[in-house]
C-alpha cells in the first residue's frame, strides 16, 4: 500500500482529488440572451449531475414532474418564482430549494432573468433488456 500523499495545510489522503470546476457567479453574470445550460458537470466517474441554467427575463420552465430524482436548486443570479401545487414562492440569489422526487413545479424568470444551479444523483445509463417490471419471475438460485 502506498503512503498517503501530503496535501497543503497538513491534510493527507489517497484517491481522487477535489477539483475546482468553475465560477458560477462569473458564468451567470455574463448570461446570454437565450435560455439554456451555461455549464454541465461532465467529469468521468461522477455520481452526480449538475447544470448551471439561465432563463432570460420572462422565460420559464413549464410545469413538470420529476418522478425519480430529488433535485437541489441554488439561485446564483437574478430572480423569479417557483410555482407548485402549494403556491408560488419567490426565488432570489442565494435561495436554495429542495425539489423532492415526485413533486410538480414550474420556474419563471423575473425581469432580470434567472440563473440557477441544479444538482441531483446521476441517472443510470441506458441498458438493453427488459425493465424489472417486464422481466419474468426469477428462478431458483443458480439457474
Amino acid at each position: 500500500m502506498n503512503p498517503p500523499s501530503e496535501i497543503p495545510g497538513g491534510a493527507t489522503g489517497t484517491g481522487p482529488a477535489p477539483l475546482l470546476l468553475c465560477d458560477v457567479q462569473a458564468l451567470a453574470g455574463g448570461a446570454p440572451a437565450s435560455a439554456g445550460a451555461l455549464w454541465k458537470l461532465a467529469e468521468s466517474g461522477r455520481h452526480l449531475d449538475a447544470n448551471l441554467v439561465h432563463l432570460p427575463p420572462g422565460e420559464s420552465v413549464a410545469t413538470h414532474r420529476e418522478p425519480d430524482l430529488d433535485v437541489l436548486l441554488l439561485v446564483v443570479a437574478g430572480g423569479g418564482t417557483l410555482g407548485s401545487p402549494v403556491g408560488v414562492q419567490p426565488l432570489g440569489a442565494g435561495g436554495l430549494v429542495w425539489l423532492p422526487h415526485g413533486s410538480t413545479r414550474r420556474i419563471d424568470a423575473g425581469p432580470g432573468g434567472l440563473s440557477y444551479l441544479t444538482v441531483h444523483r446521476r441517472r443510470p445509463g441506458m441498458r438493453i433488456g427488459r425493465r424489472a417490471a417486464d422481466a419474468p419471475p426469477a428462478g431458483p438460485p443458480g439457474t
Side-chain angles (χ1 to χ4, degrees):
M1 180 174 180
N2 293 333
S5 58
E6 190 67 27
I7 299 172
T12 60
T14 59
L19 178 64
L20 179 62
L21 298 170
C22 68
D23 181 337
V24 295
Q25 290 181 327
L27 287 172
S34 61
L38 302 176
W39 172 85
K40 292 182 179 192
L41 183 63
E43 280 52 41
S44 63
R46 69 189 189 280
H47 290 232
L48 294 174
D49 273 331
N51 301 289
L52 179 60
V53 178
H54 175 71
L55 295 175
E59 294 280 326
S60 64
V61 175
T63 301
H64 66 287
R65 184 178 156 274
E66 169 49 62
D68 302 320
L69 301 173
D70 289 355
V71 177
L72 282 178
L73 182 151
L74 175 64
V75 179
V76 297
T81 59
L82 170 69
S84 75
V86 297
V88 176
Q89 300 175 40
L91 295 174
L96 180 62
V97 179
W98 173 46
L99 303 168
H101 70 280
S103 66
T104 301
R105 62 277 198 143
R106 174 186 174 95
I107 301 170
D108 294 292
L114 175 64
S115 294
Y116 57 91
L117 179 72
T118 61
V119 180
H120 58 80
R121 186 188 60 194
R122 189 173 182 196
R123 293 181 188 277
M126 299 286 289
R127 295 189 180 152
I128 298 174
R130 295 181 183 184
R131 293 181 307 181
D134 297 336
T143 60

